[in-house]
Amino acid sequence: MDFSFLFLEWVGKPLWMWASFLALVIAILSFDLGILHKQNREIGVRESVKLSGLYIALGIAFGCWVWWYLGSDAGLAYMTGFVVEKTLALDNVFVIALIFSFFAVPRLYQHRVLFWGILGVLVLRAIMIGVGATLVAEFAWVLYIFAAFLIVTGIKMLAIKEAEPDISRNTLVRFMRNRFNVTHEHHGERFFVRKTNPVTGAANWFITPLFMALVMIEVADVIFAVDSVPAIFAITTDPFIVYTSNIFAILGLRALYFALAAMIHRFQYLKPALALVLIFIGSKIFAADLLELEKFPAVLSLGITFAIIAAGVIWSLLKTRDRQSA
């Protein structure tokens, strides 16, 4: 059998690299759902930390392979993107916790929702990154728009205190409740259930609160991707590095959620650090031009990014060390 087609380039990299990465992701998710979590059960903080550590180790190991196979610049870009995406995901954890609370999703089924949410993310991020890569390749000036957007977003995060979102007034929630048959109670792990319509008396399909929570989580990820995708493109324009660093960071979010949700109150001072990271990543695009550099040094970029995030984490933990979870 002729396997020469695997060496054809697709979006800047040989097809075998993309296929191998997707096969690895599928294997990881299959192991997670098929072996570790074959039965629905609650995930405790200790197990969450262990699983998250495993996912972080896998993400770093893949970064080491990128460093070895594609070179140090690619490896540093991957690691920077991985760290940035992982940190930006902390905000996503807060929103997911609000969604689960609003729809009263039992802890027993939260892992199932997050698992299917990850599958959706694989597709949605691929589309957004594909569009971004095409724009950057065709119109180089788009990168400067991304950079300016990150700077403005970071400044807004520093200047404006965001109010806790009111999910009950969310347009999408109201649309689903008005347009579809919706149950008010959960039906185990089911996203859809067939039951008698109280108005018509006929048997109809209803969507459950579990499915509505899944839809809201997917939409929330798209909204967060508006920040994270430009951020990673400001680090590197290589679609393979952009996508793989994004996905490996998000893969571990599901595992990390159960630990972070229990101590999210300890990270309330991390947002200024995230804002500074976005401002720095956007600014370095313009700084490289002003300094007449081909690109901002990758080692310096990773070092500054990590230092800002580490300072934010340490400051948050110190400021909230005597605070109990609500």
Side-chain angles (χ1 to χ4, degrees), residues 91 157 160-164 271:
D91 256 2
M157 287 174 66
I160 302 175
K161 184 178 181 180
E162 294 182 2
E164 183 175 303
K271 189 174 285 291

Short mmCIF file of all heavy atoms in Angstrom, two decimals, residues 91 157 160-164 271:
data_model
loop_
_atom_site.label_atom_id
_atom_site.label_comp_id
_atom_site.label_asym_id
_atom_site.label_seq_id
_atom_site.Cartn_x
_atom_site.Cartn_y
_atom_site.Cartn_z
N ASP A 91 -10.60 31.53 33.61
CA ASP A 91 -11.82 32.31 33.52
C ASP A 91 -12.98 31.45 33.05
O ASP A 91 -14.12 31.62 33.50
CB ASP A 91 -11.62 33.49 32.56
CG ASP A 91 -11.44 34.80 33.30
OD1 ASP A 91 -11.42 34.78 34.54
OD2 ASP A 91 -11.32 35.84 32.63
N MET A 157 -9.91 44.80 30.74
CA MET A 157 -9.94 43.90 31.89
C MET A 157 -9.39 44.58 33.14
O MET A 157 -9.85 44.34 34.27
CB MET A 157 -9.14 42.62 31.59
CG MET A 157 -9.83 41.69 30.62
SD MET A 157 -8.79 40.28 30.15
CE MET A 157 -8.65 39.42 31.73
N ILE A 160 -12.15 47.86 33.85
CA ILE A 160 -13.57 47.64 34.09
C ILE A 160 -13.78 46.40 34.93
O ILE A 160 -13.29 45.32 34.60
CB ILE A 160 -14.33 47.48 32.75
CG1 ILE A 160 -14.13 48.74 31.88
CG2 ILE A 160 -15.81 47.23 33.00
CD1 ILE A 160 -14.73 48.61 30.51
N LYS A 161 -14.51 46.54 36.01
CA LYS A 161 -14.83 45.41 36.87
C LYS A 161 -16.06 44.71 36.30
O LYS A 161 -17.14 45.29 36.21
CB LYS A 161 -15.10 45.87 38.30
CG LYS A 161 -15.36 44.71 39.27
CD LYS A 161 -15.56 45.20 40.68
CE LYS A 161 -15.80 44.04 41.64
NZ LYS A 161 -15.99 44.50 43.04
N GLU A 162 -15.89 43.45 35.91
CA GLU A 162 -16.98 42.72 35.30
C GLU A 162 -17.96 42.21 36.35
O GLU A 162 -17.56 41.71 37.40
CB GLU A 162 -16.45 41.52 34.50
CG GLU A 162 -15.61 41.91 33.29
CD GLU A 162 -15.16 40.70 32.52
OE1 GLU A 162 -15.51 39.57 32.91
OE2 GLU A 162 -14.46 40.87 31.50
N ALA A 163 -19.25 42.37 36.06
CA ALA A 163 -20.28 41.85 36.96
C ALA A 163 -20.52 40.38 36.65
O ALA A 163 -20.28 39.91 35.54
CB ALA A 163 -21.58 42.64 36.76
N GLU A 164 -20.96 39.64 37.67
CA GLU A 164 -21.25 38.23 37.47
C GLU A 164 -22.41 38.09 36.49
O GLU A 164 -23.45 38.73 36.65
CB GLU A 164 -21.62 37.59 38.81
CG GLU A 164 -21.88 36.10 38.73
CD GLU A 164 -22.13 35.49 40.11
OE1 GLU A 164 -21.25 35.64 40.96
OE2 GLU A 164 -23.20 34.88 40.30
N LYS A 271 -7.01 37.83 37.52
CA LYS A 271 -7.48 38.53 36.32
C LYS A 271 -6.54 39.68 35.90
O LYS A 271 -6.26 39.83 34.70
CB LYS A 271 -8.90 39.06 36.52
CG LYS A 271 -9.52 39.61 35.23
CD LYS A 271 -10.97 39.98 35.43
CE LYS A 271 -11.84 38.75 35.49
NZ LYS A 271 -11.93 38.07 34.18
#
